[in-house]
Amino acid sequence: MSAGSVAVVVTEEMTVPSWDLYELSIPCTVFGTPQPDLADPWYDLRLCGTGTTARGGTAAGAGLTLRTPYGLDDLVGADTVVVPSVPDPCVDEGRPLPPELITALRRAHDAGARMVSLCTGAFALAEAGLLDGRRATAHWMHTAQLAERYPKVQVDASVLYVDDGDVLTSAGLTAGLDLCLHLVRRDLGAHVANQLARRMVVPAHRPGGQAQFIEVSVPSRDDEGLAPVLDWARTHLDRPLTVADLARRAAMSPRTFYRRLHAATGTTPLQWLLDQRLGRARTLLESTDLPIEKVGELSGLGTANNLRHHFLKHIGVSPSDYRRAFPRGPPGSTASR
């Protein structure tokens, strides 16, 4: 397992909205704060500025001033490049993005970097041609503009984030945090990502396919029995649970339970159960030496063949290949590189 280096693009814009600063802070918090008890070494974070923000220059917005020690040339050689956002005029008014930024993004991708955008950062990746023929997303308020301006991009306005292997895109604001935690999960395993999320007091994992626009992202504890039954289900995934079982335990009709869960999570009960089972299987594969058959049993995915079917369909690799990509050890052990 290797964390590697993360280069975050800081664009020069003297009227940066506060939400752009929020999105910039997400990769800085996730990748820039060492967690030696979880993985040592942690990520190597580099803030790379455009124009006068580079190497000692400043970018200002919302009463704050930011100095960046690296420039765009430093994108090349990074393992991961993150574009948190682009200036609003580049999105709303069609103002051109800095050509030196587009060139640097192409060079970084050609050099093998994993390319990541948060919110309107997708416009920079699209301008560089890195999203052509790929499925991608952005904040739902900007996806129509993204699709119109870049018709070669398969824009999906409904999801939190899209993982297309070496190119990943997310919706805005907190969805960017979901994607960054997803990257930690990919790089360092579920245990590290879960512990980091716990320290940040956020949900450990929201699947990328979850809807952007939902009434409540996480069910509240006083939701008339919905949250308790979901907690119960998570601790009994080895059972053959059905929607009728969960509805009965919540003292609701199946139709009411379906409606309430969909409103709370943006997904269906069956899909929610499958996501939980896949998450449990991934954790077991990463952190134990249990046989594949036992992992299928404990996660509720059944036989080894059924587990393999779901992994290939939803994760893209077999359970055995997935296990080989992660170090095994007791929870709390430091991840190896």
Side-chain angles (χ1 to χ4, degrees), residues 31 43 80 109 113-118 122 125 130-131 133-138 154-156 158-171 175-176 178-188 205-210 212 282 286 311-317 322 326:
F31 304 118
Y43 293 88
T80 301
H109 180 258
R114 178 174 60 184
M115 310 300 291
V116 179
S117 69
L118 313 182
L125 298 190
L130 305 183
L131 299 182
R134 295 179 183 261
R135 181 167 159 263
T137 194
Q154 302 169 17
V155 179
D156 188 341
S158 66
V159 297
L160 291 177
Y161 56 86
V162 175
D163 181 342
D164 197 29
D166 62 333
V167 178
L168 302 91
T169 56
S170 84
D178 291 317
L179 177 54
C180 288
L181 287 173
H182 171 73
L183 290 172
V184 174
R185 187 183 185 98
R186 269 184 49 172
D187 295 339
L188 299 173
H205 179 58
R206 288 201 295 171
Q210 182 169 312
Q212 282 192 40
R282 290 169 69 164
E286 294 170 17
F311 259 67
L312 290 171
K313 180 178 180 180
H314 299 283
I315 301 177
V317 297
Y322 185 86
F326 292 90

Side-chain angles (χ1 to χ4, degrees), residues 252-300:
M252 302 177 191
S253 69
R255 177 176 295 183
T256 299
F257 182 79
Y258 181 102
R259 175 176 54 80
R260 292 278 292 279
L261 182 66
H262 191 274
T265 68
T267 190
T268 67
L270 287 178
Q271 185 60 51
W272 183 88
L273 269 174
L274 178 59
D275 289 339
Q276 303 306 308
R277 295 188 191 285
L278 285 169
R280 172 66 57 79
R282 290 169 69 164
T283 299
L284 292 172
L285 289 170
E286 294 170 17
S287 61
T288 76
D289 291 308
L290 290 172
I292 299 298
E293 292 79 6
K294 191 64 175 179
V295 171
E297 176 186 334
L298 293 176
S299 63

Side-chain angles (χ1 to χ4, degrees), residues 45-64:
L45 181 73
R46 308 170 186 173
L47 294 181
C48 302
T50 65
T52 60
T53 68
R55 292 189 173 86
T58 62
L64 301 176

Side-chain angles (χ1 to χ4, degrees), residues 3-8 27 31 43-47 78-82:
S5 57
V6 177
V8 180
F31 304 118
Y43 293 88
D44 173 22
L45 181 73
R46 308 170 186 173
L47 294 181
D79 297 300
T80 301
V81 173
V82 181

